[in-house]
Each structure stands twice: as C-alpha cells, then as structure tokens.
Amino acid sequence: MAEAQRVLGGRYLLKDKVGNGGMASVFRAQDQVLDRTVAVKIMLPQYAGDATFAARFKQEAQAAAGLQSPYIVGVYDWGKDGDTYYIVMEYLRGTDLKSGIRSHGALDPKKVAQIGSQICGALSVAHKHEIIHRDIKPQNIMVLPDGNIKVMDFGIARAKNSHLTQDNNVLGTAHYVSPEQTRGQDLGPTSDIYSLGVVMYECATGRVPFDGDDAISVALKQVNELPVPPSQVNPGVDPALERIILKCMEKDAANRFQTADELREVLNAYAAGRAVDVAEPTHVIAGAVPMGGMGGTETRVMGDATQAMIRPADGAPGSTAAGPRMGVPSPGTRNGNYEEPKKSNRGKIAAAVIGVIAVIAAIAIFASGLFGDSKMVTVPNVINYTKDEAEKTLEAAGFEVEYGTPVTDEEVEKGNVVDQTPDGNREAKEGSTVKLILSKGPEPTEQVEVPNLTNMTREEAESTLTSLNLKAQVHEEANEADEGKVFKQGTNTGEMVDEGSTIEIWVSTGPDTVDVPAITGYTEYDATAALDKAGLAYKVAYDYSDSVGSGLVISYNPGGNVAPGTVIEIVVSQGPKPVEKVNAPYYVGESAATAARDLKALGFAVTIQGPADGVVTAQSASGSLNKGASITLTTQAANSGGDGEGTESGED
C-alpha cells in the first residue's frame, strides 16, 4: 500500500491501516523522534479539499488535545502534510465496547456502573472545556486489556463557543442520539448524558432500547417512545440501576442528571453497594391517552402532563403509563382491572374521533418541526469568499445573512469567510438565515531571544525556556561535561525565534566510559559474552588454581569504568596443577652416598637409615613415583655382614 510508506510531518512513519471512519482513516505509525507507536488519523481525500471539513478537522484536533484524562484517548500532535490533515493520537490495544457486548451479551450490573462512571470521568473533563462529544456510543468506547475504558473520536465534537456545525449526514448513530439532537436543537452536557444512558441500557440488556428499519424511524422513536424498562429485557437488572439508566434517558433534558459529575457520584455509590437516592423517572412527552384497540406502542397526544415511569407488574411488559397504571389497581378498580366509566356509544365515537384527530395533529406538528414545510433550497458554499462576495451570493440565493464573532485562522485570509451555518451545499429553508464567521487572519506571533543554556542543569534549562514561552527537546549523550549539565543547544544564543518554538538541548551523561562487569567466577563463555555486551574487548590466559574450578574466571584486569573497546585480560582456571611423575632407580647393593645424591637430583626426599657411607641394603620405593615423594634407604657398613648402627637423614 503506497499510503503506508509515507512519513507525515517528517516524523510519523505510517505502518498499516487499522480502521476507517466517516471522515478519516486511521493508521498505526512510528514516531521517529520519540521512538514510540502512535495512531495517526488522516482526513479522507474527498474531505481534505473542503474548507469547511478542514476547519472541523482542525477543531477536533485542537479541542481533543486540550483534554487530559485517563479515560480519554490522548492527542499528541496534529498538522498538515501537503493537502492532507492528520492527528496523532495514543495507540491503544483492546476492543471496542460494541464488540464486547456482541461477544458476551449483557454485562454484570456492577460492571455497567463501572463503565458508566469512567465515561462520566471523560465527559466531565470535556464538558468543563465546554466541549460536547455528540457521538457517545459503544463503538467509540475502547475497552483496554486491564478492563478500563477510554473514550475515542471527537470527530463531530463541538465546543459551545464554536460555530462549526456538523454535516447533516453525521449526526451520530441514531440508536444513541438524544431527542434534542434529533430535533436539531442546541446541545448541552445533558445530550451526552442521554447517549450514555442508552450505552448503559445496551450494556445491561445486550440490546439497544430503540431499533427500526432505518435511521429516521429510530430517531423518531428517540423522541416519541418510552424505552422498555431494562429489567423487562434482563431480569438481572436491579431497580437501582434501572432508575439510574432511565433517568439518564429522560426525554426532557431538565429531568436528567444535569452534570457528568453528578451521574458519576451516583454510579460510584451504586458500584460500591451503597444505597442510591434516584426517584422514579418522569417524562414530558405527548400526554398519555391510550388509543383503545390500537395495540403496539402507545400514541400520546401532545400536552404538558408529567408522567411517572412505573416498573410494570408481572405479566404487563412494556407498561409505562402513569396513574391509573396498567396492571396496578387504583380507586374504582375491581379484580385489579380498571373500569372505564359507562358512556354512550355516541360518546365513545366522539372520543375516538377526537383521539384520531389529536394523533394526526401531533404527527403533523412533529413532522413539520423536524422536516419543515417551507421551500428547501441549496445553501451556496461561501467559504473563503470576501464578506461582500458572500453576502451577495447568499442574498441572491434567497437567504438572510448574519455574523458571528470573527476567529483567528492560519490559512484563511483576514476578512474572508472561515465558516458558515448551515454548511454550503446543504439544503435549508428559503428565506432562513445563514450565519457567517469571518477570519481575523493568523494569530500574531511574538518573537523571543534564545538564551545561553550551556552549563545549566536540565531542570534549569527547561525552566528558563518555559519562562520564555519556548519548549525544550532534550537529548542525553555522553560528554566530558559534568553529568546532568547542558553542553550544546540546537539554536544559537541570541537568535530570535517565534514563541512556542522548540529548542533542542543536549545534556551530558558524563564521560564516555563503560562499567566493566564483575565476571569473577563466571564461565569463560559467560564472561566473554558479558564483555561483548558491554562493548569491551578481551584477552584470555589460563593458569592452575587449587581454589577455583576448572573453566571459571580466576581474575580480570582492568576493572571499574573504562573507555569503550578497552581490552580486559581474563585469567581462566585450569584446575589444580597435575603432579609430575619421575622414575626412581633401584640402588640396593650400591653406595648409599651415590644413591642419595642421584635420588635428590631427581626431586625425591631421601632418608638414610644406617651409615651414610655404607651400602644400600633396602629401598622403600622405586620406579615411577610422584616427583617429591619420600624414599628411605637402609644401609650397612661396607664389608660388614651385620646391621649398621645409627640413622642419618639424606636431607641437606
């Protein structure tokens, strides 16, 4: 694959593609500066040339880079290489939550709470930066090998103060969008909380609360229908967790948990086994007027009634209407069944007609609110137009124009359009307003003078650069300079550079020496291997030793710190020195003086018993003997037949 051979930004070597998204492809890559594996998201070619999408892609990188949390995928860098925009992110090993649910089905309730709590941790950080994720779904939750999670993909995230709008085709997966997101309303933190509620519902039951043949039908259910309580799908879901999930999924955002921190506190309490005080959820949707004989999902007339969502009684799955409740006795009931007051047939017919009219009106009102009934025309794309050109073009197409707060932009010329709402080439109502954002041009960059960093410690140099709004890139290298001191810098002292620039510095690790490994007692093989690994040469000699086993190192020289490549002399034991064998002649009948002299010369210890100048009558040992062995000569006087008297040592 040609793409996989590229090096982006002169730094990131693409290895292999690991995924595709709606706007980008993701590659595993090697950061050649920091020598680490990273994930690189590259905008797809069809979007790279679109100024609106390019602005959104840059915004994603800038927004995500500012989010620091153990539960958010880290963003390290972003840039443009030729016509391609890219984002460099933390590379994760694991599986997405959607795949986990498909493999294992419903999760343990405590695990559901743990996952929900960690997602809250990520959302809390994003929301405090005024960033709404907008696409919380299991596919964007990565489960790591240790069981913790990280939230991914801020591809359609949008800061509250940003005027960039999402592509109409990228509204987030319909199964997880909030009712207000479906209606195209402004979104706040509670929209992400609704989506998280749907994710927890799916974790707890193994299925999504609303499904349909297409995205529109699912989105309509998000607005119109109440979810079947999770315990109806999975009896293992207890009431406390069910109340938490359904409170997150309130149709009216005001009835949900209002912050991720609030929800996280409740989930942590539940996971710890503490009691949680979460009331039965309430829903403000169309008023509960069951259509007799209609069957299926209840249709509700638009109204202001607030209804309590009740856990259905056994045998009444899906029952959610409030007081009187289906399957729950109330005043005026008999045998647990609600009795309608007696009415004439005329009253029943009138009520049915009114009900049908109300339903039709509700559908018409909702449809007109969702899809509109005005003439729809294509919005011209005026990105990079001058203010006057943009106004003339939009007014000629039948649109009103208003302006938002100008923003800085590195690529769009000052005074030109950097963003528009709705996006260009999308349909909008004729006569509606298009909001334009003009560019203030690139952010003016201040310049600073590079200081002299040599002889500073690493900490001093980094602190000095930080105080000047500069960054340090540190290299450690052996040098004659004191250990820990800067001995070289990449940018000359006194040179003027832009604020935010990176200055390379080299810090000494001390003189270029090698520590000789302690190899006494090593085998010759292990000793030479250790010296090879340390970058040292060696010379081997052999000697006898009574204390060191054969083949083991007796000694080495030199030791301590030496220059790389130094020759280390090793002495290896040959074991104890072998004893020399010597032939001892037989001297019986010969002169004792001659015998003693000759045997001493051969290295034997000689003892004479008898006259030293006599004749040898007996010899204690002869033949092949160990050199240094003791030999005793017995003698008698010459020309005497008897035994000699006295004893004389043959030793000098």
Side-chain angles (χ1 to χ4, degrees):
M1 182 189 301
E3 181 94 43
Q5 305 304 313
R6 296 180 60 184
V7 176
L8 295 180
R11 175 172 178 174
Y12 304 107
L13 174 64
L14 302 185
K15 295 290 189 179
D16 52 299
K17 184 182 290 188
V18 294
N20 283 308
M23 291 172 55
S25 295
V26 181
F27 288 81
R28 181 176 64 89
Q30 186 71 15
D31 182 342
Q32 296 180 314
V33 173
L34 298 180
D35 191 26
R36 64 180 175 185
T37 300
V38 295
V40 178
K41 179 186 286 188
I42 303 174
M43 183 185 287
L44 296 176
Q46 59 264 40
Y47 296 120
D50 186 317
T52 302
F53 273 92
R56 185 168 304 118
F57 197 84
K58 289 192 296 180
Q59 181 199 1
E60 172 188 351
Q62 292 168 329
L67 304 181
Q68 301 296 321
S69 166
Y71 306 121
I72 295 178
V73 176
V75 173
Y76 301 139
D77 192 10
W78 71 280
K80 184 179 182 183
D81 188 286
D83 294 330
T84 299
Y85 290 92
Y86 63 89
I87 298 175
V88 183
M89 303 175 295
E90 177 182 7
Y91 182 76
L92 299 177
R93 291 173 175 82
T95 185
D96 65 88
L97 181 57
K98 187 73 173 181
S99 299
I101 296 171
R102 285 173 179 158
S103 300
H104 304 292
L107 306 182
D108 177 79
K110 294 294 175 65
K111 184 63 178 177
V112 174
Q114 178 193 350
I115 290 172
S117 173
Q118 293 186 359
I119 297 172
C120 282
L123 291 179
S124 175
V125 172
H127 293 168
K128 285 169 185 174
H129 283 73
E130 296 194 325
I131 294 172
I132 311 303
H133 189 286
R134 305 172 69 88
D135 198 21
I136 292 294
K137 58 186 178 182
Q139 295 92 325
N140 282 339
I141 311 300
M142 180 66 76
V143 182
L144 306 182
D146 63 3
N148 290 313
I149 64 94
K150 282 186 182 267
V151 178
M152 304 184 296
D153 197 357
F154 281 75
I156 60 171
R158 184 173 73 180
K160 281 186 178 178
N161 58 356
S162 166
H163 298 282
L164 293 173
T165 58
Q166 76 272 24
D167 183 340
N168 291 341
N169 295 320
V170 190
L171 278 169
T173 305
H175 291 102
Y176 307 95
V177 295
S178 65
E180 58 269 30
Q181 193 169 0
T182 298
R183 297 189 189 103
Q185 297 170 336
D186 288 338
L187 304 184
T190 52
S191 178
D192 283 343
I193 288 173
Y194 181 94
S195 299
L196 173 53
V198 179
V199 171
M200 291 193 293
Y201 186 107
E202 185 175 3
C203 288
T205 65
R207 76 181 197 192
V208 292
F210 303 113
D211 206 355
D213 294 332
D214 51 54
I216 292 178
S217 65
V218 174
L220 289 173
K221 289 181 180 181
Q222 298 283 16
V223 176
N224 282 341
E225 296 187 10
L226 296 176
V228 174
S231 61
Q232 290 276 320
V233 182
N234 176 14
V237 179
D238 57 61
L241 181 60
E242 179 166 282
R243 288 197 302 271
I244 294 170
I245 292 173
L246 294 179
K247 184 174 176 65
C248 292
M249 293 178 61
E250 289 278 12
K251 303 301 182 184
D252 185 344
N255 292 331
R256 300 173 199 153
F257 293 98
Q258 294 302 293
T259 67
D261 287 338
E262 178 189 2
L263 173 55
R264 189 180 190 189
E265 184 177 343
V266 172
L267 288 169
N268 288 343
Y270 171 81
R274 299 193 298 270
V276 294
D277 184 18
V278 179
E280 291 287 351
T282 58
H283 299 252
V284 179
I285 58 172
V289 181
M291 294 298 293
M294 294 289 287
T297 303
E298 295 178 2
T299 305
R300 294 163 170 79
V301 179
M302 302 294 286
D304 297 327
T306 298
Q307 301 171 316
M309 179 149 190
I310 305 301
R311 288 169 60 83
D314 291 341
S319 174
T320 56
R325 298 171 295 190
M326 295 178 66
V328 181
S330 62
T333 63
R334 182 174 59 210
N335 298 326
N337 297 316
Y338 178 64
E339 289 187 351
E340 289 282 353
K342 300 289 184 179
K343 293 183 180 179
S344 66
N345 289 336
R346 180 177 180 182
K348 290 180 180 180
I349 295 171
V353 171
I354 292 171
V356 171
I357 293 172
V359 171
I360 294 172
I363 294 172
I365 291 170
F366 178 77
S368 64
L370 188 64
F371 304 108
D373 56 4
S374 300
K375 179 182 177 183
M376 303 296 286
V377 294
T378 300
V379 180
N381 185 349
V382 294
I383 299 296
N384 255 328
Y385 282 33
T386 65
K387 179 180 178 181
D388 289 343
E389 291 170 342
E391 283 184 0
K392 290 176 182 177
T393 301
L394 290 169
E395 288 170 357
F399 293 98
E400 301 290 330
V401 178
E402 68 175 33
Y403 293 91
T405 304
V407 297
T408 58
D409 192 278
E410 297 294 324
E411 298 177 9
V412 177
E413 186 178 338
K414 181 178 180 180
N416 286 5
V417 177
V418 70
D419 187 39
Q420 67 179 83
T421 306
D423 292 343
N425 301 320
R426 309 284 185 259
E427 288 195 340
K429 294 178 183 179
E430 186 177 25
S432 61
T433 299
V434 176
K435 190 170 188 176
L436 302 180
I437 304 297
L438 300 181
S439 170
K440 294 195 296 186
E443 189 84 47
T445 304
E446 297 290 336
Q447 287 209 317
V448 293
E449 182 178 341
V450 177
N452 183 1
L453 304 170
T454 53
N455 289 322
M456 288 186 181
T457 66
R458 172 177 179 162
E459 293 74 18
E460 289 170 343
E462 288 179 324
S463 177
T464 299
L465 291 173
T466 298
S467 69
L468 295 172
N469 237 354
L470 298 173
K471 301 174 185 175
Q473 183 175 345
V474 181
H475 307 279
E476 293 186 340
E477 190 175 295
N479 189 268
E480 294 302 317
D482 291 342
E483 184 177 352
K485 293 293 186 71
V486 176
F487 66 89
K488 184 173 71 171
Q489 60 188 76
T491 306
N492 293 332
T493 300
E495 189 172 330
M496 301 300 293
V497 296
D498 292 342
E499 281 190 352
S501 297
T502 298
I503 308 299
E504 292 183 282
I505 59 174
W506 280 260
V507 176
S508 172
T509 57
D512 192 5
T513 60
V514 177
D515 188 19
V516 179
I519 55 175
T520 302
Y522 281 30
T523 65
E524 179 180 349
Y525 176 84
D526 289 341
T528 54
L531 294 174
D532 280 334
K533 186 175 181 180
L536 298 168
Y538 49 84
K539 179 179 179 182
V540 182
Y542 302 91
D543 199 1
Y544 296 108
S545 173
D546 292 331
S547 58
V548 178
S550 178
L552 303 182
V553 175
I554 301 171
S555 63
Y556 60 93
N557 187 59
N561 291 322
V562 299
T566 298
V567 176
I568 308 300
E569 295 184 355
I570 309 171
V571 179
V572 176
S573 172
Q574 294 177 297
K577 187 174 181 179
V579 179
E580 183 180 348
K581 294 288 186 178
V582 180
N583 184 54
Y586 189 65
Y587 287 100
V588 173
E590 298 187 23
S591 166
T594 300
R597 182 194 65 210
D598 292 348
L599 290 172
K600 287 179 183 179
L602 292 172
F604 296 105
V606 180
T607 301
I608 298 176
Q609 291 184 342
D613 57 353
V615 176
V616 177
T617 60
Q619 182 174 335
S620 63
S622 63
S624 180
L625 303 175
N626 290 339
K627 187 175 182 179
S630 295
I631 298 176
T632 300
L633 300 177
T634 304
T635 67
Q636 66 179 20
N639 302 320
S640 173
D643 294 333
E645 295 181 358
T647 298
E648 180 180 349
S649 173
E651 295 180 357
D652 291 336

